[in-house]
Amino acid sequence: MKTIFYFLLLCFPFQLSAQQKVTGVVSDEQGETLDAATVTLSQNGQVISSQLADQGQFTFSGMNQGVYQLSVSLIGYKASLRSFTMPKDTLAIILLNENRQLNEVAVTFKKPTIERKIDRVVFNVENSIMASSGNAWDALGKSPGVQTTNEGTIKANNKGAVVYLDGKPFRLSGDDLAAYLQSIPADQLSKIEVMPNPSAKYEAQGGAVINIISKKTKTDGFNTSLSGAYTRGALNRYTGNGVFNYRKNKLNVFGSYGYSDRDIQRDLNTFTIYETPNSYAYWDLKRRSLGNTRASNYSAGADYNLTGKQVIGLLVTGNNSAGSSESKSITNIFNHHNVQPDSILYTNTTAESRINQYSFNVNYKVQLDSAGRSLNIDVDYVPYTRNNTQGLSNHTVLSDGSQSASPYQISSPAAQRINIWSGKLDYNYQLGKTWAMASGAKYTSIVSENQFDFFNTAGTVPVPDPSKSDQFDYTENTCAAYTDLSGASGKWILKAGLRAEYTRTKGNSQSLDSINTNSYLRIFPSIFITYKASENNEFGFTYAKRIERPDYRQLNPAKSYSSPYNYQNGNPFLKPSIINSLQLNYTLHHDYTFAAVYTQIDDMSSNVTVQDNVNQRFYDTQLNIGRIQELGAELSAVHHPAPWWEINHLAQGYYRTQKSDQPGNTYNYRQFYFYLRTDHAFTLNKNNGLKAELSAWYNSAVQQGTLWLDKTHDLSAGISKPLFNKQATLRLSAADLLYGNPYRIRIDNQGQNNGIYQKNDTRTFTLSFTYKLGKSMAASRKRITASEEEKKRTN
């Protein structure tokens, strides 16, 4: 009964009313919204405000009763000028195509590199030389408040983030996520939206949302763009990409193909001290890994305008990757504080993997009236398969040169199959004079099958070991509904939402002989309030509640061995983490923003090491480590010392407290840590378009559970030059010039004493070239399909 009550509350919201605001949409003759149109509001011959339409949408607030003039312009379209009288609900502006060739156009209004809105920060990638010179992964790491690691971890404003591509979330983990985004040239991106506290319209999964929006042609005819890049680090990497779009009358066909071939070298050093009252052993490991990943990603889609207000679309995407790696490690074991090793472990590991992921989407959109009522329907099917085999060979040599025992040789093939079916409905409408509403519902069904086999291969015939093999099956069904409200009254702007998600899960592990079931209803409110005290002074408040569900692989209890003495496994009993975030902010002159933030994470899941000092064994697993609370301050500033020089600064500082009472992982930490970043853009020669960029950041050390993560820093630079009448662009960039991105972890807690140092291939030099055929491109149509949030959890 409680569930039904919440769903009815979300789907049939109460009536509200307000005044003094007008919203509108800019579209072409086929009803397709036009991004980046310049919208100017005037009264009595004086300009009041000017803005760029965001995906065709614009809003002006703080208006009085009276007559106003609105002018709208966009390159390639005839300008529109009209008058209207307040109060007014909405405005629908239709721009007509120019029927003549534009030889030369002077653009006088330029988007800033960074824009701050009520619920997000927009990073215009196409305005950044360094961000647009590499790939989508590079651009992500250069977005304001976003931090990335080579293991595929992404944080936005110090919270775990879910990544969307054109409104479609992807959640490939680790190297898989990095490889996918590295196969997409950043030159094909329009902007990146960073939402530390997303609205109720977005899935509740993830502490933050990052939406990457690609470019797409809005004009008639055939347009294409080709690009390629060569990156040199310790080894070579290659990337190629092509994008096309054909638009004619009611039909729009588009597609893309990208390919990457990446060789990566990683050096890993670890130590473990096994100590009891009667013994002491120091294990020192050195490993070098060489890996290759070849990935293809592609998409093909079509939109057809049934009428001027109805669009039906199809979209198919795919990602196929094949990876292989080989590593050799030497572990020196020193007993009783001896200077010379008592024994040496030699370990060779090989691994091969293949991943195939597809997405099939059917969508329908109808504009019900000119007042803004619209309906969107999406149905999705996503099949995913992953097959990998790891081989391990280990032998031990004593100090006298003899071999201590028979070689340890194993093979562990694993297969993962996931099927996701989902459907969602979104309904947008108006309430009262100026309140915009959006309500929706979604259902998702997920079935994950995981087979892990373990074979001893020391003999001539592989011998299966059922005690170390496992079949783990997992199902998850989620029903969700939401309502969003946005509007303005005088100097106030409000956006609020409520989302409910009812989830049922079931995990079945044969090796543990256990079935774990769970069901829960969670309510996720969000609110954004802005008060514009004057043209140069603005105050804001945001609150959002989110959930972080564990990835499917984190739940899998199968053990993956890296040596006879070390392994990793998941935890089928992991609980989702709940995140509550508050923020108060003040903006001065549109360029300086100060924010006070508070974040609380309950049941945070994290890697946890377990060290057996008696038997000298070590393994890594997943646990809910307790509660983390953070109180912090954030400062961002934009500065122009000269017309040719733009600077963006970001400083974030947090005071963290965390506590756990779990046996073997008890702690109570209090700590201050910070993140600093500065980005500089230079126009070296305005006439020939020569530009340069320089960026640097510093991340201080931080404690997470029992893990002590050491400081990291980065210095990068880039230069670009347009060629062939601006149809092509040549870019050269250098990343991590000081090699400040090694991965250092230290654990010293309750008998655990170990650490790692991993040097990744982060110092790179990239040369890229892009050539465009056809007319200019704008941001693509946003399409948030029903299944994409679940795809992000497949790895």
Side-chain angles (χ1 to χ4, degrees), residues 511-567:
S511 64
L512 299 179
D513 192 22
S514 67
I515 298 177
N516 181 39
T517 61
N518 195 11
S519 63
Y520 53 89
L521 172 69
R522 295 288 187 269
I523 307 300
F524 303 98
S526 61
I527 185 169
F528 310 84
I529 301 174
T530 298
Y531 175 71
K532 193 170 185 178
S534 65
E535 182 64 27
N536 295 319
N537 295 274
E538 188 173 284
F539 299 87
F541 168 79
T542 66
Y543 166 75
K545 182 179 180 180
R546 307 281 293 171
I547 190 171
E548 186 76 46
R549 298 184 181 93
D551 294 337
Y552 310 134
R553 199 184 299 178
Q554 289 180 284
L555 299 168
N556 191 345
K559 298 177 181 179
S560 176
Y561 285 81
S562 56
S563 80
Y565 312 98
N566 297 5
Y567 67 84

Side-chain angles (χ1 to χ4, degrees), residues 397-433:
V397 176
L398 301 178
S399 57
D400 60 3
S402 63
Q403 189 164 301
S404 65
S406 300
Y408 179 83
Q409 296 177 352
I410 65 170
S411 175
S412 53
Q416 182 182 44
R417 293 176 296 276
I418 300 175
N419 285 289
I420 303 172
W421 287 92
S422 55
K424 76 183 185 78
L425 181 148
D426 298 292
Y427 176 57
N428 300 286
Y429 52 104
Q430 291 289 128
L431 282 180
K433 296 291 183 180

Side-chain angles (χ1 to χ4, degrees), residues 189-261:
L189 307 183
S190 173
K191 56 189 174 182
I192 296 176
E193 298 176 329
V194 182
M195 291 168 268
N197 298 307
S199 69
K201 186 174 182 179
Y202 288 88
E203 297 291 330
Q205 169 69 17
V209 166
I210 300 174
N211 188 25
I212 302 173
I213 299 176
S214 60
K215 299 175 183 177
K216 188 176 177 182
T217 301
K218 294 292 184 179
T219 53
D220 285 348
F222 180 80
N223 300 271
T224 187
S225 176
L226 303 174
S227 62
Y230 167 72
T231 299
R232 177 65 189 184
L235 302 172
N236 297 319
R237 307 171 202 174
Y238 308 91
T239 301
N241 184 270
V243 178
F244 80 91
N245 187 92
Y246 176 77
R247 180 185 295 273
K248 187 67 175 179
N249 299 326
K250 295 183 178 182
L251 179 65
N252 182 41
V253 181
F254 52 91
S256 66
Y257 176 80
Y259 178 79
S260 65
D261 187 340

Side-chain angles (χ1 to χ4, degrees), residues 264-539:
I264 300 292
Q265 174 181 296
R266 291 188 173 97
D267 292 319
L268 175 69
N269 297 335
T270 74
F271 76 89
T272 306
I273 299 176
Y274 297 106
E275 187 172 11
T276 69
N278 301 316
S279 65
Y280 177 93
Y282 182 91
W283 292 44
D284 179 65
L285 176 146
K286 291 180 172 56
R287 175 191 300 164
R288 169 161 289 186
S289 300
L290 301 177
N292 173 264
T293 300
R294 298 180 181 183
S296 295
N297 70 83
Y298 42 89
S299 66
D303 293 325
Y304 183 77
N305 292 278
L306 300 173
T307 66
K309 296 183 178 180
Q310 297 185 74
V311 179
I312 188 170
L314 300 172
L315 179 63
V316 178
T317 63
N319 177 257
N320 310 110
S321 66
S324 62
S325 64
E326 180 179 357
S327 66
K328 296 182 179 181
S329 62
I330 299 176
T331 304
N332 291 286
I333 301 176
F334 302 84
N335 295 319
H336 309 296
H337 303 280
N338 291 335
V339 177
Q340 298 297 325
D342 297 277
S343 58
I344 302 175
L345 275 64
Y346 295 90
T347 305
N348 295 335
T349 304
T350 60
E352 293 185 356
S353 65
R354 286 189 177 275
I355 298 175
N356 297 296
Q357 178 177 281
Y358 306 95
S359 174
F360 304 91
N361 168 259
V362 179
N363 59 87
Y364 171 75
K365 178 181 179 180
V366 57
Q367 193 77 27
L368 299 174
D369 56 31
S370 60
R373 288 197 308 133
S374 65
L375 181 68
N376 290 268
I377 300 174
D378 280 273
V379 178
D380 287 82
Y381 170 60
V382 177
Y384 172 92
T385 61
R386 178 189 179 99
N387 295 278
N388 59 279
T389 300
Q390 177 177 289
L392 186 147
S393 175
N394 175 274
H395 68 276
T396 303
V397 176
L398 301 178
S399 57
D400 60 3
S402 63
Q403 189 164 301
S404 65
S406 300
Y408 179 83
Q409 296 177 352
I410 65 170
S411 175
S412 53
Q416 182 182 44
R417 293 176 296 276
I418 300 175
N419 285 289
I420 303 172
W421 287 92
S422 55
K424 76 183 185 78
L425 181 148
D426 298 292
Y427 176 57
N428 300 286
Y429 52 104
Q430 291 289 128
L431 282 180
K433 296 291 183 180
T434 55
W435 293 98
M437 301 289 295
S439 297
K442 176 182 177 180
Y443 175 76
T444 304
S445 173
I446 303 169
V447 178
S448 175
E449 299 174 345
N450 305 269
Q451 178 68 43
F452 182 85
D453 296 317
F454 188 98
F455 294 89
N456 292 307
T457 58
T460 56
V461 178
V463 179
D465 187 344
S467 66
K468 295 180 180 179
S469 302
D470 191 23
Q471 170 74 36
F472 177 69
D473 298 327
Y474 176 82
T475 60
E476 180 178 296
N477 296 281
T478 300
C479 299
Y482 76 92
T483 285
D484 250 342
L485 160 76
S486 61
S489 178
K491 297 182 178 181
W492 294 89
I493 301 175
L494 170 67
K495 186 173 184 178
L498 192 66
R499 186 180 187 91
E501 294 188 354
Y502 177 70
T503 303
R504 299 182 64 182
T505 64
K506 180 180 178 180
N508 181 7
S509 171
Q510 291 184 4
S511 64
L512 299 179
D513 192 22
S514 67
I515 298 177
N516 181 39
T517 61
N518 195 11
S519 63
Y520 53 89
L521 172 69
R522 295 288 187 269
I523 307 300
F524 303 98
S526 61
I527 185 169
F528 310 84
I529 301 174
T530 298
Y531 175 71
K532 193 170 185 178
S534 65
E535 182 64 27
N536 295 319
N537 295 274
E538 188 173 284
F539 299 87

